[in-house]
Amino acid sequence: MKTLHVTAAIIIEEGKVFATQRGYGEFKDGWEFPGGKIEDGETPEEALRREIMEELDTKVMVGELFDTVEYDYPKFHLSMQCYLCQVKEGDLRLKEHENAKWLDREHLFDVDWLPADIGIISHLEKKLS
């Protein structure tokens, strides 16, 4: 099975985490943490900065590795490195996603998370408490 290596941003501000809703592709309408594929020659941190700029027109400061998710979708295996990030410059403007929300601990399950992303919600609940 093919493995996709991706990176995701866990952006937390004032006790809330930023979640985005996919606007395209096989997983359209599912909720996720923003990010994307790690290209050849990129570190996960470099990929994350590039992806957030491309998707949200925002510069982020990539912090510590929060969690790594390994998940088997029917057609591929996903290896997702999730980093704590802070907005450095920009307004998190949606360029590819159809919606976004800031979710506090009590509302983390108010959206329909993609299967791989839901894997870190319990870890995130502890971080937000």
Side-chain angles (χ1 to χ4, degrees):
M1 181 180 292
K2 180 181 178 181
T3 297
L4 289 180
H5 295 278
V6 301
T7 186
I10 308 296
I11 302 169
I12 299 173
E13 288 186 8
E14 299 176 10
K16 296 180 180 181
V17 66
F18 188 71
T20 53
Q21 186 178 31
R22 286 181 71 94
Y24 59 90
E26 180 180 354
F27 301 105
K28 183 181 181 329
D29 297 328
W31 286 80
E32 65 182 358
F33 297 104
K37 292 180 188 171
I38 301 170
E39 302 292 343
D40 288 340
E42 279 185 319
T43 67
E45 296 89 345
E46 290 168 340
L48 193 50
R49 284 189 287 272
R50 176 185 51 76
E51 287 284 350
I52 299 302
M53 181 53 75
E54 289 174 3
E55 294 179 0
L56 299 167
D57 200 27
T58 299
K59 289 182 181 179
V60 292
M61 183 175 71
V62 179
E64 69 182 79
L65 180 65
F66 180 71
D67 205 348
T68 299
V69 174
E70 302 290 338
Y71 188 85
D72 287 327
Y73 282 101
K75 297 179 183 175
F76 61 92
H77 175 79
L78 185 76
S79 180
M80 180 170 64
Q81 293 178 283
C82 305
Y83 288 86
L84 294 174
C85 295
Q86 292 181 337
V87 172
K88 199 169 155 181
E89 182 181 315
D91 299 324
L92 298 169
R93 188 171 60 90
L94 301 181
K95 294 170 71 176
E96 296 182 12
H97 297 90
E98 60 185 62
N99 199 359
K101 291 184 179 185
W102 287 98
L103 301 170
D104 61 20
R105 185 176 186 270
E106 291 75 31
H107 295 95
L108 284 174
F109 290 98
D110 287 1
V111 298
D112 187 17
W113 291 103
L114 292 174
D117 292 78
I118 205 164
I120 65 168
I121 297 299
S122 62
H123 189 183
L124 191 55
E125 279 182 301
K126 292 174 191 166
K127 176 79 174 167
L128 294 176
S129 60

